[in-house]
Amino acid sequence: MSRETILILDFGSQYTQLIARRVRELKVFSQIAPFNISLKEIKTINPKGIILSGGPASVYDKGAPHPHKEIFKLGVPILGICYGLQVIAYQLGGKVKRGARREYGHTPLNLTNTNDLFKGLPKKITCWMSHGDCLGRLPVGFKAIARSKNSRFASIFNTKKKIFGVQFHPEVAHTPLGKNILSNFLFRVCRCQGDWQYSAFVKEAIEKIRSQVKDQEVICALSGGVDSSVLAVILNRAIGMQVKCIFVDNGLLRKDEAKKVKETFTDNFNLDIDFVDARKIFLEKLKNVTDPEAKRKIIGYEFINVFTREAKKFKNALFLAQGTLYPDVIESVSAFGGPSARIKTHHNVGGLPENLKLKLIEPLRELFKDEVREIAKVLALPEHIAGRHPFPGPGLAVRIIGEVTEERLDILREVDDIVVEEIKKAGEYQNIWQAFAVLLPIKSVGVMGDKRSYENVVAIRCVTSLDGMTADWAKVPYKLLGLISNRIINEVRGVNRVVYDISSKPPATIEWE
């Protein structure tokens, strides 16, 4: 099944993934590749257009990333962004020079041509600049179509070859009309149709899985999170009972998690799930462990052991399905190192031993997290899964500061349940990226029932974010915070104080450990 694709060549920009997301938001499929992708590979992809990302280098630096010069002869429309514009000029005979002063931040831009790339835009717009070099001389056949205070050539084009360049970043929110510019490139210049639909992706994934698996069995690790849930349901629609799901209860899950997973997927989706009770194993291994990295390693190692043992029960299984997402794939490729020989995957089954000898199936590896949520809606997954906040792989173990014990887990489960329940009741859940509680390793004095108490302190953490890379503390209404605090102290034995975390990321992280 062919689909129109915009190919994005990565030169190391911090915004490369954002370019890909913006293109997909406009209903056009995008694919990121290293800057030095071969011409043969480009021709195989057969892109409708190519976008050259920005990057931190100067075109004159030793070892600076440069694409194959032949891409400019493919007859495919090209848009260079920031460093991408400079690469175009440099490789086609123009001149790049060190700017008299660095341009950074919000910058007024005067458009001298409002056809094609700037169609429908006013002659003066605001854009986001981030560069030190600038163009000193245009390549032959190019014209300037925008200028800023410090640059005569803030945007250039060659209409005959359909090659465009912008010195600013249209993909960021700080360029208010940037999406209009990208839309013009996609639909006016590249003549895209905008037919990237999530329903089409599901259909394509199902057909591919059926063709690959045939009559064999597939093992899938199901955690109840949105990634593994979408993966399991797509597999089920493709091959039915040939998919064997394994759900490992490590004792570090939220309240009634195993019960909810069973109700959702066994009763509603008719999945074949092997429920493994490994609570005692994990708690025993975590005894007296307080270092967060040690916790993570122990949990990861034990999960591998448990999963490997369970997987061997399914002797007819030849495939392992993993919920690898597109950011995981991109992280494995260094813009300056070229294609990586080893793909780094982030999934529920990390580092499984090779002796399982299972072939990989990764149907979500082309998707971003928010796209997986949209796929969940297409698959009619319940909202408590489709819209669920991120949950750490090591579970509540990294939300208990200090030693993990059954008693402390019971306390945190009840607290966490109250936090999520009240935020949902107040209609704030979808406005928050992540909301959870942390059990601290300290106790404080309080007065309960006219008696002195000396009990645990819990911290509530609520943040807003677009992608989890940066985050701000959520301005949750005081009334709601008061309600949550009162319920926790009144209903959860062992807690007499609640605090609210108002730190942002950076410098803090979202999770405490």
Side-chain angles (χ1 to χ4, degrees):
M1 179 180 176
S2 62
R3 61 186 171 202
E4 56 183 18
T5 300
I6 294 295
L7 180 63
I8 301 165
L9 301 191
D10 180 19
F11 292 89
S13 171
Q14 60 180 318
Y15 300 130
T16 300
Q17 287 194 40
L18 188 55
I19 299 170
R21 292 169 67 91
R22 292 289 178 261
V23 171
R24 292 193 187 185
E25 286 170 8
L26 292 164
K27 305 297 184 186
V28 179
F29 183 74
S30 60
Q31 179 176 339
I32 297 173
F35 70 90
N36 56 358
I37 183 176
S38 70
L39 287 174
K40 182 179 179 181
E41 288 175 290
I42 293 176
K43 289 177 181 178
T44 299
I45 294 169
N46 190 27
K48 294 281 287 186
I50 297 174
I51 297 178
L52 311 182
S53 83
S58 167
V59 292
Y60 297 112
D61 287 345
K62 184 179 180 180
H66 292 280
H68 292 284
K69 199 171 180 178
E70 297 298 310
I71 67 169
F72 301 110
K73 298 179 182 179
L74 292 174
V76 177
I78 293 175
L79 171 63
I81 294 175
C82 198
Y83 179 84
L85 169 143
Q86 295 165 14
V87 160
I88 291 172
Y90 177 77
Q91 291 200 323
L92 296 182
K95 183 178 181 181
V96 178
K97 65 177 184 178
R98 180 67 63 184
R101 55 179 292 187
R102 189 168 182 259
E103 264 187 322
Y104 183 82
H106 290 104
T107 304
L109 194 71
N110 294 305
L111 308 182
T112 56
N113 182 312
T114 52
N115 296 323
D116 299 319
L117 201 62
F118 299 135
K119 184 71 174 179
L121 274 63
K123 292 201 172 182
K124 288 187 177 182
I125 66 172
T126 299
C127 66
W128 182 263
M129 294 281 195
S130 179
H131 65 97
D133 291 353
C134 64
L135 265 60
R137 185 182 70 239
L138 292 176
V140 175
F142 281 78
K143 293 182 180 180
I145 54 176
R147 67 176 185 273
S148 67
K149 183 178 180 180
N150 297 310
S151 177
R152 292 183 297 153
F153 310 124
S155 183
I156 63 175
F157 81 136
N158 182 318
T159 52
K160 184 178 179 181
K161 293 185 177 181
K162 293 187 177 180
I163 300 176
F164 295 78
V166 293
Q167 187 60 76
F168 57 92
H169 288 274
E171 71 274 21
V172 301
H174 303 303
T175 301
L177 296 174
K179 202 166 182 179
N180 301 61
I181 296 169
L182 291 174
S183 178
N184 282 334
F185 177 69
L186 298 180
F187 302 113
R188 295 187 62 82
V189 178
C190 300
R191 301 295 178 185
C192 292
Q193 298 300 309
D195 57 4
W196 166 240
Q197 301 289 339
Y198 298 122
S199 56
F201 172 86
V202 171
K203 182 179 178 182
E204 182 181 345
I206 288 172
E207 291 174 355
K208 188 174 181 180
I209 290 168
R210 284 174 179 166
S211 174
Q212 185 178 1
V213 174
K214 297 183 174 59
D215 60 350
Q216 302 300 323
E217 290 183 346
V218 178
I219 295 173
C220 172
L222 180 62
S223 69
V226 65
D227 299 341
S228 70
S229 298
V230 165
L231 175 65
V233 173
I234 287 178
L235 287 166
N236 182 249
R237 290 197 180 181
I239 56 175
M241 300 305 283
Q242 289 170 243
V243 57
K244 308 298 180 183
C245 295
I246 298 176
F247 178 91
V248 178
D249 184 351
N250 58 12
L252 309 172
L253 306 175
R254 283 174 158 167
K255 185 177 180 180
D256 297 328
E257 183 78 3
K259 179 183 176 183
K260 290 174 183 176
V261 168
K262 187 171 184 178
E263 289 174 351
T264 300
F265 295 100
T266 304
D267 299 344
N268 298 327
F269 291 93
N270 196 32
L271 284 174
D272 182 7
I273 305 175
D274 177 22
F275 286 91
V276 184
D277 186 351
R279 290 175 293 180
K280 289 184 179 180
I281 295 174
F282 282 84
L283 274 175
E284 181 62 32
K285 295 292 183 180
L286 290 169
K287 192 174 182 179
N288 298 322
V289 177
T290 59
D291 180 74
E293 283 307 304
K295 290 181 192 176
R296 290 177 181 273
K297 288 178 181 177
I298 289 169
I299 293 165
Y301 181 78
E302 289 307 318
F303 183 87
I304 291 168
N305 285 342
V306 173
F307 188 89
T308 302
R309 184 176 66 246
E310 292 300 314
K312 287 180 179 178
K313 292 179 181 178
F314 304 103
K315 300 188 182 300
N316 294 325
L318 294 183
F319 298 90
L320 172 67
Q322 297 182 158
T324 307
L325 301 188
Y326 201 34
D328 307 333
V329 177
I330 296 167
E331 283 178 7
S332 69
V333 180
S334 166
F336 292 91
S340 174
R342 176 179 176 271
I343 295 296
K344 171 188 174 186
T345 53
H346 301 247
H347 41 72
N348 292 326
V349 193
L352 285 174
E354 293 181 2
N355 61 14
L356 274 180
K357 297 179 180 178
L358 299 174
K359 299 175 184 177
L360 284 182
I361 294 178
E362 298 175 313
L364 308 182
R365 63 183 288 114
E366 295 179 330
L367 300 179
F368 290 102
K369 188 76 170 186
D370 55 336
E371 292 176 318
V372 175
R373 294 193 189 283
E374 293 300 321
I375 296 291
K377 294 175 184 176
V378 171
L379 296 171
L381 280 167
E383 178 58 27
H384 72 268
I385 290 176
R388 186 183 185 186
H389 289 179
F391 187 67
L396 298 180
V398 291
R399 291 178 179 174
I400 292 177
I401 312 302
E403 185 182 2
V404 179
T405 66
E406 193 164 1
E407 179 186 5
R408 301 189 81 202
L409 282 165
D410 288 341
I411 289 172
L412 186 56
R413 281 195 191 93
E414 294 302 323
V415 172
D416 177 83
D417 193 57
I418 290 171
V419 172
V420 174
E421 180 183 336
E422 291 300 333
I423 285 175
K424 286 182 175 179
K425 279 184 183 178
E428 294 287 340
Y429 191 78
Q430 296 305 326
N431 299 327
I432 295 171
W433 169 267
Q434 210 164 344
F436 57 94
V438 180
L439 183 59
L440 304 184
I442 57 174
K443 292 188 175 184
S444 71
V445 173
V447 179
M448 302 181 76
D450 295 326
K451 293 183 180 179
R452 178 185 184 275
S453 68
Y454 190 63
E455 295 181 335
N456 293 285
V457 181
V458 294
I460 307 302
R461 178 74 158 145
C462 299
V463 298
T464 57
S465 178
L466 292 175
D467 53 14
M469 300 302 291
T470 61
D472 194 13
W473 60 280
K475 280 65 177 178
V476 177
Y478 292 157
K479 185 177 180 180
L480 176 56
L481 287 176
L483 176 60
I484 291 171
S485 177
N486 286 337
R487 278 200 61 192
I488 290 171
I489 292 172
N490 288 328
E491 298 177 27
V492 183
R493 288 188 176 276
V495 177
N496 69 353
R497 191 178 298 270
V498 177
V499 298
Y500 189 61
D501 182 348
I502 59 169
S503 51
S504 297
K505 176 186 178 180
T509 54
I510 295 177
E511 296 284 348
W512 279 45
E513 287 192 343

